[in-house]
Structure formats: structure tokens, C-alpha cells
Amino acid sequence: MTARLSPGAQPPPATLPAGGDGLRSSLHDRGQRLTPQRQRVLALFERIGEGSHLGAEEVHQRLLRSEERVSLATVYRTLRLLSSMGLLQELELPEGGRRFELASDAHRDHHHLVCVRCGRTEEFENSAVLQAGERAAGGYGFRLLECVLNVRALCPSCAAAE
Amino acid sequence: MTARLSPGAQPPPATLPAGGDGLRSSLHDRGQRLTPQRQRVLALFERIGEGSHLGAEEVHQRLLRSEERVSLATVYRTLRLLSSMGLLQELELPEGGRRFELASDAHRDHHHLVCVRCGRTEEFENSAVLQAGERAAGGYGFRLLECVLNVRALCPSCAAAE
DNA sequence: ATTCATGCAAATTTTTTGCATGTTC
DNA sequence: GAACATGCAAAAAATTTGCATGAAT
């Protein structure tokens, strides 16, 4: 029922290759270390692309399949770490456990229009939304990382079927 | 892997005041029954208001405190039911389990500002966001039900701690 | 009377943690 | 070498389920 279709077009990452030094220095800034496990987890998310999300168990399984064993406990620890570093982000859709995806570029705002009946999803952008997010964050003294607008709606054919 | 099927596609969110007959007939339409437990759970969400969310354990505890015992298992079953009926809406914030809040037509745009580090949550409103949602929905011919903006951010103290 | 819902406890699933060992800086 | 991270297994949460009993229609 997860209707986030990412048709073939996978936008080029355009960001730093994570297995590399971006991760290393981000970690070092926090007094933490670059380990193969952390690289593997992040690299996996980069491999699957920006639109797709994985849960802890899936990350563990997929790494096993590619001969890059990382214990499940470490997967959990790493997901939380990368997430708190802003490299991954946790999803809003609670289908089972928590799920994560590669964090999009800083401050980018991408929004979803989703039909609650059939799951059809359209993406759109709107700078007014980002502004609203910035205003809200500013008002509470928060530092904005990202804002996502979810519009729940009925698509034309589902609306007709009602 | 678990088959996590919600009980079928649901009708558009109910518009009715829930404690009363709206709930009864919504249930009956589905061949299900009005029970004190279901009323209690829904009434609790109405009592705390539209902006606030609760997890299963919290619902259970709060009902205990108000002398309205509902077993935890039933709380889980009821949350899922009310959610699939469109009376509650599920959301997921950083820490803890799944959380639910009252789904309301009246409150179509209420937004969350969430600290991704400590989970602190602030609610805000912004009509520009609703307009953006309406414009997007209109552009694709969708009928808008609700729009929720989630702003991921760092609260002042967490930002300082980084 | 029939069908559905509840409560309880046990079973599952998901996530966290203690600790000995191995790694990174 | 010191501090940190990993793996493992056990513990703790979170959620679901089987079944006998109780309630709603």
C-alpha cells in the first residue's frame, strides 16, 4: 500500500559520496568514528536512492545479502546516529516499524499529494510552504532542517466513485 | 514478513461528532458494534482536543485514571479500527511507538514543528499552507481532505548541544 | 440467538542494553 | 593506549493473537 512510486528516474545524488570523507568529518566533529559498518549502512541508502525507505530489519537483511554483515543491534544504533546527524531521515508513514530514507538536500521542500483511497501520489513544490515552515521554526527558535507537506485527498476517479 | 492489511479501503473521513450517533452508525455500516470501550477511546481523543496525540499505552493509562478501564489489547484494536474509519489519524514522531490524534475536517491545516533530536513538538497554523495544499489539489483535480505540514528541525537546546 | 467484542495471558515483533572483545584515532 | 564501536545474547518495549467469556443487535 506504499504508493511512493519512483519511476525509473533517479535524480543524481549530486551530494557527497557518503562512503567518503563527508561522513568521516561529520563523525569526527562529534568525536565519533568512521567504521565500515557506518559506511555500509549509509552506502546502502545511497544505492537505493532518495525516494526509497527501509526499516532496520531490511537494512540488516540487505547488507547480509551483499556480504556486508552488520549486526542488527548496530544497524539500529547506526540508523539513529545517521538520523541525528541529518544524513538519514525518519519517515512519517507508520507501517510497521520505523523507516528511514536518505535525507534530501538541505532545506529542500518536497510535498506529497496523496489519494487516501487508491494511494495515487503526486509530488509538488511550493515555496510558500517553505516560507511557512521557516516562519514557524523561527518563531519557536528552532533551526529548520526540512519541511514536508502532506496533502491527503481524493483523486478524481476515487472522488467520483464515492 | 507480516501481512499487515488494514481492513479495506475506507470511506472519506466522517464528519460527525463522534461520541454520539456518528460513531454508532459508522460502525453499523461496517457491521460492527458500538461498545463502551470504543466510545471511551474516541471520547478521550475528543477531550484532549485536536492538536494532541497519544500512544496506545497512554490511552490505556489515561482511561484507567478516569475510571474507564479498557484493556490494552482492546486499546490497540480500537486505535486501529478508529483509524481505519478515518476518525483518528496515525502519525509518527521520532521517539516511541505509534501515535494517534483526532482526525478532523474542521482542523484541516494544523502543522507540526518537531525537534528531530529530542522529539519536542509544537503545533502551529498557517493559512498559506492550506492555500498551497488547495492549489496543489486543485491542480491535479484532487479533492482535498486534509493537509499537514511537518517541519523537522532542531529545538534551541538541541541545536546548542550539537 | 447470533454475531461480534472484550479481557487476559501468551506469543510475536521491534528496539534497546550490558558487557567482553575488536577497531579507530 | 585510550576511547569508542561492534557483536552477541539477554532484556525491555511495543504490538498482535488465541480463546473463553460477556455484550450488542
Side-chain angles (χ1 to χ4, degrees):
Chain A
M1 198 162 88
T2 302
R4 179 192 293 251
L5 311 175
S6 11
Q10 214 58 263
T15 9
L16 7 159
D21 276 335
L23 180 55
R24 160 170 277 121
S25 47
S26 299
L27 284 166
H28 287 185
D29 289 351
R30 303 166 51 117
Q32 291 170 318
R33 292 170 184 183
L34 182 63
T35 67
Q37 289 87 341
R38 289 169 180 179
Q39 296 180 90
R40 286 174 197 158
V41 171
L42 185 51
L44 170 59
F45 278 97
E46 295 184 324
R47 217 178 297 142
I48 67 168
E50 253 187 35
S52 342
H53 45 267
L54 298 173
E57 187 63 51
E58 283 167 303
V59 169
H60 182 234
Q61 289 303 325
R62 291 172 88 126
L63 289 178
L64 274 187
R65 270 184 239 120
S66 49
E67 306 280 307
E68 308 179 287
R69 148 173 273 275
V70 176
S71 77
L72 185 55
T74 294
V75 168
Y76 273 105
R77 286 185 282 230
T78 303
L79 289 176
R80 189 166 34 173
L81 175 69
L82 295 178
S83 207
S84 83
M85 292 172 57
L87 293 173
L88 293 183
Q89 86 186 47
E90 197 175 337
L91 291 196
E92 301 294 324
L93 310 169
E95 307 178 359
R98 302 178 188 166
R99 309 185 69 77
F100 297 80
E101 70 180 20
L102 203 56
S104 39
D105 290 348
H107 293 217
R108 186 179 141 205
D109 58 332
H110 64 283
H111 311 305
H112 302 283
L113 174 63
V114 51
C115 175
V116 300
R117 197 157 171 280
C118 71
R120 177 180 157 195
T121 300
E122 302 291 345
E123 305 219 345
F124 65 96
E125 306 201 355
N126 186 314
S127 58
V129 174
L130 181 54
Q131 282 171 31
E134 280 166 347
R135 183 136 29 100
Y140 287 95
F142 281 45
R143 194 168 85 210
L144 184 145
L145 297 175
E146 189 191 41
C147 66
V148 180
L149 176 61
N150 277 92
V151 181
R152 301 172 6 109
L154 287 172
C155 74
S157 47
C158 288
E162 289 288 320
Chain B
M1 290 307 168
T2 338
R4 179 181 295 284
L5 301 177
S6 24
Q10 61 277 71
T15 335
L16 312 162
D21 277 336
L23 179 55
R24 161 171 276 121
S25 46
S26 298
L27 284 167
H28 287 185
D29 288 352
R30 302 165 51 116
Q32 290 170 318
R33 291 169 186 184
L34 182 64
T35 68
Q37 288 87 343
R38 290 171 179 177
Q39 291 178 289
R40 287 175 196 156
V41 171
L42 185 50
L44 170 59
F45 278 97
E46 295 184 326
R47 216 178 297 141
I48 67 168
E50 283 167 2
S52 345
H53 44 265
L54 299 173
E57 188 63 51
E58 282 166 305
V59 169
H60 182 234
Q61 290 302 327
R62 291 173 89 129
L63 289 178
L64 273 187
R65 269 184 241 121
S66 49
E67 305 281 306
E68 306 180 289
R69 147 174 273 274
V70 176
S71 78
L72 185 55
T74 295
V75 169
Y76 274 105
R77 285 184 282 229
T78 302
L79 289 176
R80 189 167 33 176
L81 175 67
L82 294 178
S83 207
S84 82
M85 292 171 58
L87 293 173
L88 293 183
Q89 150 183 352
E90 199 171 343
L91 49 111
E92 179 137 326
L93 304 173
E95 299 298 326
R98 293 139 116 154
R99 309 185 69 77
F100 297 80
E101 69 180 22
L102 201 56
S104 138
D105 278 354
H107 210 193
R108 281 194 175 153
D109 66 324
H110 88 271
H111 310 302
H112 301 278
L113 175 61
V114 182
C115 176
V116 300
R117 195 158 172 279
C118 71
R120 177 180 158 197
T121 301
E122 302 290 346
E123 310 268 339
F124 66 96
E125 306 196 0
N126 187 312
S127 58
V129 174
L130 181 53
Q131 281 170 31
E134 281 166 345
R135 183 140 24 106
Y140 286 96
F142 281 45
R143 193 169 86 208
L144 183 144
L145 297 174
E146 184 186 46
C147 68
V148 179
L149 176 61
N150 278 94
V151 181
R152 323 177 82 87
L154 288 172
C155 74
S157 47
C158 288
E162 287 285 314

